[in-house]
Amino acid sequence: MAETRIEHPNRDKAGSKVTRAIVCLLMLATAGLTLVITAGGWKVLQGAQVIALFYILLYVVMAFYVLRWNRGVLPVSAGLSILLAVVAAVSAPGWFARDKPGFIDPSIPASLLGLLTIILVPVSILLVAFAVHGMAQKWNVEVEQDVEDEHDVYGSGRRPEPARA
């Protein structure tokens, strides 16, 4: 009797594997940059620490799911990355404005935090582009393959009879 095995042919393609790796790398880079910015500016971020920590945790979890070929988190990551890119683009000038006397100094120099925030914008945009590309690759397509029983020599579902002496 034939068994059925589920295969995902689009996951075997080199382009899909590269896209998955890049998406994971960009998610982890986004989480890392957000972590450094949050930790470095902890005492001057006015209540945004919880949101930043939520983003960091969410990106790490989504990277884990992308490594497991879960295509469902790609649109979520694209949407969150667009939001993060907008927030980073708006907040970057604020870090450079803090690099003057009279402001509370963050743990990391404000100009460096501003630079990291500016770097976060293109990283987020790249993540959107690669997540959309990953969605188009259809990682979720499944094909059923019949696997013949190792004893089914004739394809009839019967086992061969042993030879008689």
Side-chain angles (χ1 to χ4, degrees), residues 1-2 148-162:
M1 181 171 223
E148 291 186 20
D149 190 0
E150 60 187 40
H151 298 290
D152 187 4
V153 179
Y154 303 107
S156 63
R158 296 179 303 155
R159 292 188 179 154
E161 295 182 20

Side-chain angles (χ1 to χ4, degrees), residues 47-124:
Q49 296 97 332
V50 175
I51 295 170
L53 293 175
F54 175 72
Y55 255 84
I56 293 164
L57 179 65
L58 195 59
Y59 272 97
V60 170
V61 170
M62 286 190 301
F64 170 75
Y65 279 109
V66 168
L67 277 176
R68 298 183 69 207
W69 291 104
N70 187 326
R71 185 176 163 252
V73 297
L74 293 177
V76 175
S77 68
L80 289 174
S81 294
I82 290 170
L83 181 62
L84 186 61
V86 170
V87 169
V90 169
S91 65
W95 286 116
F96 292 112
R98 296 192 67 81
D99 201 12
K100 296 180 179 139
F103 287 101
I104 298 172
D105 290 329
S107 301
I108 297 176
S111 58
L112 179 59
L113 290 174
L115 177 64
L116 292 174
T117 306
I118 288 173
I119 292 171
L120 189 57
V121 174
V123 170
S124 296

Side-chain angles (χ1 to χ4, degrees), residues 9-64:
N10 294 338
R11 294 179 185 179
D12 295 332
K13 296 178 181 176
S16 295
K17 291 178 182 179
V18 168
T19 301
R20 179 180 75 154
I22 292 173
V23 167
C24 286
L25 179 69
L26 288 171
M27 284 181 177
L28 294 175
T30 301
L33 283 168
T34 306
L35 179 64
V36 170
I37 293 167
T38 303
W42 187 267
K43 56 186 172 184
V44 295
L45 292 174
Q46 299 171 356
Q49 296 97 332
V50 175
I51 295 170
L53 293 175
F54 175 72
Y55 255 84
I56 293 164
L57 179 65
L58 195 59
Y59 272 97
V60 170
V61 170
M62 286 190 301
F64 170 75

